[in-house]
């Protein structure tokens, strides 16, 4: 019985070996074994890859050379220069892997031909066979032009990929119509002329690489090239001369030629023919079929292990000593297949079933363990007592603990709030906190499920780390409540805090801090410097408030504006002192050279502050704002109104008061009154003469608007203009002034009154392109008697340079001119004044009145008059009050004067009478009649 069983098992083993042989035959003829062998061979080369000593230099047509030349294809005289440099360096031979089969410019072809003729050493040029086109498979030969081929040896550069698309082997060349073109690698080799496999264990870094541009520029030491074999070709990716190869993925064609040459220099690299490899596979299978069925499985395993060790050693020996690539994959696979098949055939049905069951269970357990181990979520397994029985690596990582710490511990030690969820088992995710071993609290999302087992139920807890989500939520909350540039609160967050304090009965002061002329910093030094200044100023304000009133809050509420809430601190109770401290901190010089400013320039920024007290803030009317921001908005409106008043009065600080509140009410009443006065032509125009200081004759007038005396209390001009600007009535009011003057034009001409008429234009109108167009249309209706001069303050012009230049151009087109009013109170530059093309410069009266007793003002006025004359402008001095003022200005060469010394603003009738009296004081010879005056233009 035993003998029969053994015989049966051996027979089964032999049949199994035969079946394995059939499998090998199928694999052999489907090239599956060859593909596996290629992959093993490539990995072998990658393992052995290392630099070796060579006598070859690759002259690269690299990206740097293409950039230096600036075009492609290159002029052929560059290749001629390269040949000359290589000849001078006494190289051994030159392979130029560049296509010269097409003609270029005759002089370029001639230069290359002469260089080839002059070279005394071997030069090889490429020839290759390719398809005629993408749709025509007919082959054609591409070779250098005859004049080039005459002085060089033509070699093949055709490289043929393997079935997997990778280049591994180099042929001997090709024969075309009886002419032999040897491979470039063969021509450059001193050894046998045979085909070879490329030895990719030779690292491409073994070669010396020289940039083409460095070669022709003479930057390469000739000793570096002496007695070397030179390969000249493209390595730049954009030239497309790259081929897919094993180990290195892709290499330029010229590098592959060099690798092939070095392989041949080292004796070449060969492998057995397909027939020889098939014979070796057959012998391996036959040996295995004879041996393994006769051995026990342990004896066979020992023999197989020896074979698996011997095969790689034999391959290494053949590669290093015989230059032979042995295919060990197929024979080794034959041994393994026969061994496995023979031993499986010996098993009976019961053994096979048990073996299959164990394999299946092991696979399932491996899959289960792998899923748990690789899961991104943290997984805990608990028994019915709440003890942890299993934890995956993600849980170990999140809790910063080891498996020994977790396994056996109670889940409450890590999830302190888990008891209620374990009792409910809702199956829904919930947020909780994980206590890590380093005592950190990690926010997590948890879900608990139950697994019913035969013994007792098992609980699984899946945890998901919410740290990133919580951080994003905090970041979004921060972005919603803070200014990202300065890190201060934004206005909604500040208003919320103010409203909260006010609802709790707290009082306090709200400061509106505005940086003066901050746009000049951005315009002059750029936005980067502007941002640096804002961050520095914000830090100073925050530090001052934190240091002196920790209960205060600071916010950025605009591009150059900040708000400071001083909770519990009134203006008179310390708010003024803190505001002064903030102003002092802001106005400290900034560090030199921030973000691109010159190192020798120190920036200094000034500010204006408006203060609103919670006690004086007017509450929002019901229905005009949401309850959330009602009180804060009212308080902020008071602070902004105080800020505007401070700027209008040119003072550093102003606190909103009851008087301001009353004035605000009066201004509101002025809005309909201004509209009514415009519609009823009730406003008055007065005219203040200007005197020519050279002839002392009347030069012209400035039109001045006055409130009608019969329409209630007289409204100051500054208040009238302010209200008109803020109620968008400044354009209709200015239009009324121009129309009224134009209506008087014929009467003035008939009386011989001065024709030079100056009109003030509000800074707000510079932003209104529609008004500028309308003004041009109005001026077009003029009879031509008046020459209009529109006065705009220097500060207004500086606030919007582009619009100021546009306005000056529009006025010039309409025959009018531009005057710069109140000069000396702004920050204009000479270049800007030149670009404006203004005709008149008016010196502010603060520099003129009593000038003979103020040396500083004398220097300013003297330099201003000189500068204006050099720019081709005339000068008007405002505020002449005394004869001394007049004489001093005449001595400086000032052109015109204006002030109470000559006349107050007059009505038309008063002006006519004044002119009549003035003309009696001047003689006919030195009087310059107004009708002869023309505006002085550059």
């Amino acid at each position: 019985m035993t003998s029969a069983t053994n015989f049966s098992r051996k027979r089964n083993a032999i049949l199994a070996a035969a079946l394995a042989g059939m499998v090998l035959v199928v694999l052999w003829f489907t090239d599956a074994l060859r593909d596996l062998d290629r992959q093993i061979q490539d990995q072998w080369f990658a393992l052995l890859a290392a630099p070796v000593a060579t006598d070859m230099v690759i002259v690269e047509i690299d990206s740097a050379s293409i950039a230096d030349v600036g075009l492609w294809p290159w002029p052929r005289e560059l290749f001629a220069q390269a040949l000359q440099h290589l000849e001078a360096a006494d190289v051994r031979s030159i392979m130029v892997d560049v296509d010269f089969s097409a003609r270029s410019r005759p002089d370029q072809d001639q230069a290359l031909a002469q260089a080839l003729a002059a070279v005394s050493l071997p030069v090889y040029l490429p020839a290759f066979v390719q398809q005629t086109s993408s749709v025509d498979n007919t082959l054609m030969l591409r070779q250098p032009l005859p004049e080039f081929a005459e002085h060089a040896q033509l070699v093949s550069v055709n490289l043929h990929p393997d079935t997997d698309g990778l280049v591994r082997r180099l042929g001997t060349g090709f024969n075309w119509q009886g002419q032999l073109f040897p491979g470039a690698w063969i021509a450059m080799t001193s050894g046998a002329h045979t085909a070879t496999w490329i030895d990719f264990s030779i690292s491409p870094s073994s070669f010396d690489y020289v940039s083409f541009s460095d070669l022709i520029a003479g930057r390469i030491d000739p000793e570096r090239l002496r007695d070397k074999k030179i390969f000249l070709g493209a390595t730049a990716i954009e030239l497309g001369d790259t081929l897919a190869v094993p180990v290195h993925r892709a290499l330029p064609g010229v590098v592959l030629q060099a690798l092939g040459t070095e392989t041949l220099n080292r004796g070449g690299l060969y492998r057995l023919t397909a027939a020889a490899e098939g014979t070796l596979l057959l012998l391996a299978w036959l040996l295995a079929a004879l041996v393994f069925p006769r051995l026990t499985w342990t004896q066979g395993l020992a023999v197989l292990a020896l074979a698996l060790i011997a095969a790689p050693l034999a391959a290494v020996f053949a590669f290093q000593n015989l230059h032979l690539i042995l295919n060990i994959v197929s024979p080794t696979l034959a041994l393994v297949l026969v061994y496995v098949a023979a031993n499986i055939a010996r098993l009976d049905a019961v053994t096979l079933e048990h073996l299959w069951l164990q394999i299946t269970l092991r696979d399932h357990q491996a899959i289960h363990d792998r899923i748990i181990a690789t899961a991104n979520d943290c997984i805990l397994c608990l028994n019915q007592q709440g003890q942890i029985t299993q934890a995956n690596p993600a849980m170990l990582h999140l809790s910063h603990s080891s498996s020994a710490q977790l396994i056996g511990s109670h889940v409450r030690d890590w999830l302190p709030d888990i008891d209620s969820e374990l009792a409910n088992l809702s199956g829904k995710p919930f947020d909780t906190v994980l206590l890590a071993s380093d005592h950190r609290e990690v926010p997590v999302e948890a879900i608990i499920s139950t697994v019913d087992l035969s013994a007792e139920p098992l609980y699984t807890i899946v945890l998901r780390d919410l740290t990133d989500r919580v951080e994003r939520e905090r970041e979004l909350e921060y972005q919603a409540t803070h200014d990202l540039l300065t890190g201060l609160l934004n206005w909604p967050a500040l208003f919320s805090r103010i409203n909260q304090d006010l609802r709790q009965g707290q009082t306090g002061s709200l400061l509106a801090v505005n940086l003066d002329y901050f746009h000049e910093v951005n315009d002059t030094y750029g936005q980067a410097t502007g941002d640096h200044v804002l961050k520095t100023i914000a830090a100073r304000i925050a530090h001052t408030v934190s240091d002196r009133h920790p209960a205060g809050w600071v916010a950025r509420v605009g591009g150059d504006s900040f708000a400071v809430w001083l909770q519990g601190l009134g203006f008179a109770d310390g708010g003024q002192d803190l505001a002064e401290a903030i102003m002092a901190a802001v106005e400290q010089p900034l560090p030199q050279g921030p973000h691109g400013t010159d190192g020798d320039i120190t920036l200094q920024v000034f500010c204006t502050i408006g203060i609103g007290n919670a006690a004086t803030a007017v509450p929002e009317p019901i229905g005009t704002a949401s309850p959330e921001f009602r009180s804060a908005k009212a308080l902020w409106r008071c602070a902004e109104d105080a800020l505007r008043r401070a700027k209008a009065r040119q003072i550093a600080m102003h606190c909103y008061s009851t008087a301001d509140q009353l004035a605000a009410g009066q201004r509101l009443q002025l809005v309909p009154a201004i509209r009514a006065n415009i519609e009823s032509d009730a406003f008055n125009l007065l005219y203040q003469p200007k005197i020519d200081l050279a002839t002392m004759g009347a030069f012209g007038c400035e039109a001045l608007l006055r409130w009608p005396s019969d329409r209630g209390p007289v409204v100051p001009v500054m208040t009238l203009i302010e209200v008109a600007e803020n109620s968008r009535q400044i354009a209709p009011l200015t239009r009324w002034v121009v129309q009224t003057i134009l209506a008087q034009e014929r009467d003035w001409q008939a009386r011989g009154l001065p024709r030079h008429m100056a009109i003030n234009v509000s800074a707000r109108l510079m932003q209104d392109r529609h008004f500028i167009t309308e003004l041009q249309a109005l001026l077009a209706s003029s009879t031509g008697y008046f020459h209009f001069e529109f006065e705009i303050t220097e500060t207004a012009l500086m606030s919007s340079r582009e619009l100021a230049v546009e306005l000056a151009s529009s006025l010039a087109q309409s025959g009018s001119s531009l005057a710069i009013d109140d000069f000396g109170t702004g920050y204009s530059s000479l270049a800007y004044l030149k670009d404006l093309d203004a005709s008149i410069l008016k010196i502010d009266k603060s520099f003129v009145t009593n000038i003979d007793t103020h040396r500083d003002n004398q220097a300013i006025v003297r330099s201003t008059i000189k500068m204006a004359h050099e720019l081709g402008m005339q000068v008007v001095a405002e505020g002449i009050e005394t004869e001394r003022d007049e004489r001093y200005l005449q001595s400086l060469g000032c052109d015109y004067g204006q002030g109470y010394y000559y006349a107050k603003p007059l009505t038309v009738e008063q002006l006519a009478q004044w002119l009549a009296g003035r003309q009696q004081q001047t003689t006919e010879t030195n009087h310059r009649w107004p009708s002869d005056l023309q505006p002085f233009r550059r």
Side-chain angles (χ1 to χ4, degrees):
M1 186 71 176
T2 305
S3 175
T5 302
N6 290 336
F7 175 78
S8 176
R9 289 183 175 179
K10 288 182 180 180
R11 183 190 60 189
N12 291 340
I14 293 173
L15 291 175
L19 181 61
M22 295 174 63
V23 172
L24 287 172
V25 170
V26 172
L27 293 176
W28 175 265
F29 284 103
T30 58
D31 277 344
L33 293 178
R34 189 177 301 276
D35 292 339
L36 182 60
D37 176 59
R38 279 196 292 251
Q39 295 177 18
I40 298 296
Q41 175 185 322
D42 295 342
Q43 294 299 322
W44 174 253
F45 280 136
L47 183 64
L48 297 180
V52 299
T54 72
D55 61 349
M56 280 171 277
V57 176
I58 296 177
V59 177
E60 299 183 272
I61 302 177
D62 52 7
S63 296
S65 299
I66 294 174
D68 288 344
V69 176
L71 57 88
W72 183 264
W74 285 346
R76 287 178 174 169
E77 63 178 353
L78 295 180
F79 296 103
Q81 294 176 23
L83 290 174
Q84 293 167 1
H85 281 282
L86 294 173
E87 169 79 6
D90 195 20
V91 301
R92 191 185 310 176
S93 58
I94 305 172
M95 169 60 199
V96 182
D97 187 14
V98 179
D99 182 13
F100 293 130
S101 61
R103 293 197 176 275
S104 65
R105 286 171 32 195
D107 59 323
Q108 297 294 325
D109 290 345
Q110 183 180 4
L112 180 57
Q114 291 175 352
L116 287 169
V119 174
S120 59
L121 47 89
V123 177
Y124 303 97
L125 296 181
F128 51 93
V129 175
Q130 64 182 18
Q131 292 182 358
T132 303
S133 68
S134 59
V135 296
D136 187 355
N137 294 333
T138 305
L139 298 179
M140 63 179 297
L141 175 66
R142 300 293 292 176
Q143 60 181 337
L145 298 174
E147 55 266 36
F148 303 154
E150 180 182 358
H151 305 293
Q153 181 179 343
L154 304 186
V155 294
S156 167
V157 291
N158 281 100
L159 300 174
H160 302 286
D162 214 335
T163 55
D164 60 354
L166 304 182
V167 176
R168 293 185 175 87
R169 188 173 182 275
L170 300 176
T172 58
F174 64 86
N175 191 301
W176 183 268
Q177 298 179 357
Q179 182 180 357
L180 177 63
F181 295 89
W185 43 93
I186 292 177
M188 294 289 285
T189 305
S190 57
H193 292 190
T194 59
T196 182
W197 293 81
I198 302 175
D199 186 357
F200 285 106
S201 68
I202 301 173
S203 172
S205 63
S206 304
F207 309 119
D208 189 6
Y209 292 85
V210 172
S211 177
F212 187 95
S213 59
D214 290 341
L215 174 66
I216 63 174
R219 294 191 288 266
I220 304 301
D221 185 1
E223 290 299 324
R224 183 175 170 185
L225 306 175
R226 190 176 306 281
D227 200 32
K228 297 294 179 68
K229 297 176 182 178
I230 306 298
F231 286 85
L232 190 156
T235 60
I237 295 176
E238 57 266 35
L239 296 183
D241 188 19
T242 55
L243 295 149
V245 296
V247 182
H248 308 292
R249 295 189 179 181
L251 288 176
V254 67
V255 176
L256 281 176
Q257 295 168 20
L259 280 174
T261 303
E262 184 59 31
T263 301
L264 288 173
N265 283 341
R266 294 174 176 271
L269 189 60
Y270 311 98
R271 65 181 301 160
L272 298 177
T273 63
E277 290 182 347
T279 301
L280 183 61
L281 174 61
L282 178 60
L283 291 175
W285 172 81
L286 185 59
L287 178 64
L290 293 174
V291 172
F292 288 134
R294 290 171 172 78
L295 300 177
T296 65
W297 73 270
T298 54
Q299 293 171 338
L301 183 61
V303 172
L304 180 62
L306 289 175
L308 294 179
I309 295 173
L313 294 177
V316 172
F317 177 82
F319 177 77
Q320 294 182 345
N321 297 277
L322 305 177
H323 305 288
L324 181 65
I325 301 174
L326 280 182
N327 178 2
I328 63 172
V329 174
S330 300
T332 303
L333 183 60
L335 296 177
V336 173
L337 283 177
V338 173
Y339 171 79
V340 172
N343 284 281
I344 290 177
R346 292 172 177 167
L347 301 176
D348 55 26
V350 176
T351 306
L352 285 175
E353 184 178 352
H354 288 172
L355 178 62
W356 178 252
L357 181 60
Q358 288 182 355
I359 293 173
T360 303
L361 290 175
R362 189 181 297 112
D363 289 345
H364 288 170
Q365 184 63 37
I367 293 173
H368 174 268
D369 293 342
R370 188 62 179 169
I371 291 173
I372 292 180
T374 58
N376 291 327
D377 293 334
C378 304
I379 300 176
L380 286 175
C381 295
L382 316 177
N383 60 21
Q384 199 168 11
Q385 289 73 39
Q387 291 180 323
I388 299 174
T389 60
Q390 189 175 356
N392 70 337
M395 180 62 190
L396 301 180
H397 176 74
L398 184 62
S399 62
H400 283 253
S401 59
S402 63
S403 180
Q405 291 176 287
L406 280 169
I407 304 302
S409 64
H410 199 281
V411 68
R412 195 185 305 110
D413 298 338
W414 306 93
L415 298 168
D417 302 327
I418 201 68
D419 286 343
S420 60
E421 295 295 336
L422 280 173
N424 294 331
L425 291 177
S426 64
K428 297 179 181 180
F430 59 93
D431 291 349
T432 185
V433 174
L434 170 69
L435 295 180
S437 61
D438 55 1
H439 305 294
R440 288 185 307 110
E441 291 188 354
V442 182
V444 294
E445 179 187 74
I447 185 168
I448 305 175
S449 59
T450 307
V451 180
D452 292 326
L453 301 178
S454 58
E456 63 177 17
L458 176 72
Y459 300 98
T460 61
I461 303 177
V462 179
L463 303 177
R464 180 165 296 171
D465 187 4
L466 298 183
T467 302
D468 291 341
R469 191 185 79 179
V470 171
E471 288 297 326
R472 285 196 300 270
E473 291 174 351
R474 290 175 181 171
E475 182 180 355
L476 290 175
E477 181 181 0
Y478 180 86
Q479 293 176 356
T481 57
H482 288 75
D483 174 62
L484 298 184
L485 176 65
T486 61
L488 300 177
L489 293 176
N490 56 22
W491 70 265
L494 178 68
F495 278 19
S496 177
R497 285 166 170 78
I498 295 174
N499 285 326
Q500 183 178 357
D501 289 343
L502 294 178
R503 281 194 292 268
Q504 294 175 355
Q506 297 285 345
T507 60
S509 301
L510 182 59
L511 278 58
V513 182
N514 180 258
L515 305 183
D516 299 332
Y517 302 104
F518 178 74
H519 66 277
E520 295 292 338
V521 176
N522 277 333
D523 293 345
T524 304
Y525 300 112
Q527 185 177 353
T529 298
D531 290 348
H532 171 79
V533 171
L534 284 174
K535 288 190 285 187
T536 303
I537 296 301
R540 291 179 178 179
I541 296 175
H543 177 74
T544 302
V545 173
S546 175
D547 186 51
R548 303 187 58 148
H549 189 66
W553 294 95
V554 183
R556 184 184 177 206
V557 294
D560 55 359
S561 299
F562 301 88
V564 181
W565 169 238
L566 305 177
Q567 181 257 332
L569 192 64
F571 180 72
D573 301 328
Q576 180 177 2
D577 295 338
L578 185 49
E580 291 174 351
I582 291 174
M583 186 174 296
V586 169
E587 296 178 357
Q588 287 293 320
L590 285 112
Q592 295 184 358
H595 295 283
T597 62
D598 296 333
D600 57 351
I601 293 178
T602 300
L603 292 179
Q604 188 171 13
V605 179
F606 298 89
C607 68
T608 305
I609 300 179
I611 303 99
N613 269 320
T616 60
V618 181
E620 286 284 328
I622 300 298
T624 60
S626 63
E628 176 69 17
F629 296 97
R630 186 174 299 162
S631 298
K633 279 191 173 181
L635 187 57
W636 177 248
R637 190 171 59 250
C638 295
E640 282 194 312
D641 191 61
L643 177 65
R644 285 193 294 270
R645 289 177 176 275
K647 285 185 174 288
R649 298 174 186 176
Q650 297 184 354
I651 58 177
M653 185 188 310
H654 179 70
C655 180
Y656 189 82
S657 64
T658 305
D660 294 332
Q661 182 177 334
L662 294 174
Q666 294 173 355
R667 289 197 300 274
L668 289 176
Q669 296 175 4
L670 281 179
V671 174
I674 293 174
R675 183 178 295 107
N677 288 341
I678 293 175
E679 294 174 352
S680 60
D681 288 335
F683 280 112
N684 296 325
L685 281 181
L686 301 181
Y687 304 92
Q688 186 174 29
K690 296 180 183 178
I691 303 301
D692 187 330
L693 295 181
T695 65
M696 301 309 296
F699 164 68
C701 298
E702 179 179 1
L704 302 170
L705 184 69
R706 293 294 184 267
W707 187 265
S709 57
D710 59 346
R711 297 293 179 98
V714 175
V715 178
V717 175
M718 293 300 295
T719 303
L720 170 61
I721 298 302
E722 178 188 355
V723 175
E725 288 179 337
N726 293 329
S727 61
R728 297 196 298 274
Q729 297 189 86
I730 192 64
L733 188 59
T734 306
R735 186 187 311 114
W736 180 89
V737 171
V738 176
Q739 289 174 337
T740 302
I741 293 174
L742 288 172
Q744 300 174 1
E745 190 171 20
R746 294 187 184 277
D747 181 54
W748 281 55
Q749 184 175 7
R751 295 188 182 195
L753 298 180
R755 63 185 300 182
H756 199 288
M757 182 64 65
I759 301 175
N760 288 283
V761 177
S762 167
R764 294 285 181 92
L765 295 179
M766 290 182 58
Q767 313 293 330
D768 190 350
R769 286 187 168 87
H770 175 72
F771 175 79
I772 295 174
T773 303
E774 188 178 6
L775 180 61
Q776 286 182 295
L778 283 174
L779 296 177
S781 65
S782 171
T783 63
Y785 179 73
F786 279 140
H787 174 76
F788 286 100
E789 172 190 301
F790 290 91
E791 297 182 0
I792 303 179
T793 63
E794 178 189 16
T795 303
L797 291 171
M798 289 299 296
S799 66
S800 183
R801 298 188 176 192
E802 294 182 0
L803 291 175
V805 173
E806 181 179 337
L807 175 61
S809 175
S810 300
L811 293 176
Q813 294 175 8
S814 63
S816 305
S817 59
L818 177 67
I820 301 176
D821 198 9
D822 296 341
F823 185 80
T825 61
Y827 300 92
S828 56
S829 63
L830 296 180
Y832 183 40
L833 293 178
K834 186 175 183 296
D835 292 340
L836 282 177
D837 199 25
S839 301
I840 300 293
L841 190 149
K842 296 188 70 174
I843 302 176
D844 188 69
K845 63 183 180 181
S846 61
F847 299 102
V848 173
T849 303
N850 298 323
I851 190 174
D852 61 316
T853 60
H854 294 82
R855 292 187 176 275
D856 292 342
N857 288 351
Q858 291 174 8
I860 293 173
V861 172
R862 183 186 303 110
S863 61
T864 300
I865 293 173
K866 181 179 179 181
M867 175 199 70
H869 286 167
E870 290 179 352
L871 291 175
M873 302 171 67
Q874 293 179 305
V875 180
V876 176
E878 294 184 292
I880 298 178
E881 306 292 344
T882 65
E883 183 179 358
R884 289 184 177 180
D885 295 343
E886 178 187 72
R887 289 181 179 176
Y888 189 83
L889 290 166
Q890 286 176 325
S891 70
L892 297 180
C894 183
D895 301 291
Y896 307 109
Q898 179 181 350
Y900 278 24
Y901 177 65
Y902 305 113
K904 297 180 179 180
L906 307 170
T907 64
V908 176
E909 297 300 331
Q910 292 171 339
L911 177 64
Q913 295 175 8
W914 180 86
L915 282 173
R918 186 78 183 177
Q919 289 171 359
Q920 295 177 2
Q921 300 175 11
T922 57
T923 63
E924 187 70 17
T925 56
N926 66 0
H927 180 67
R928 183 170 67 183
W929 290 103
S931 59
D932 297 331
L933 292 175
Q934 296 295 331
F936 183 79
R937 305 292 293 170
R938 282 177 285 151

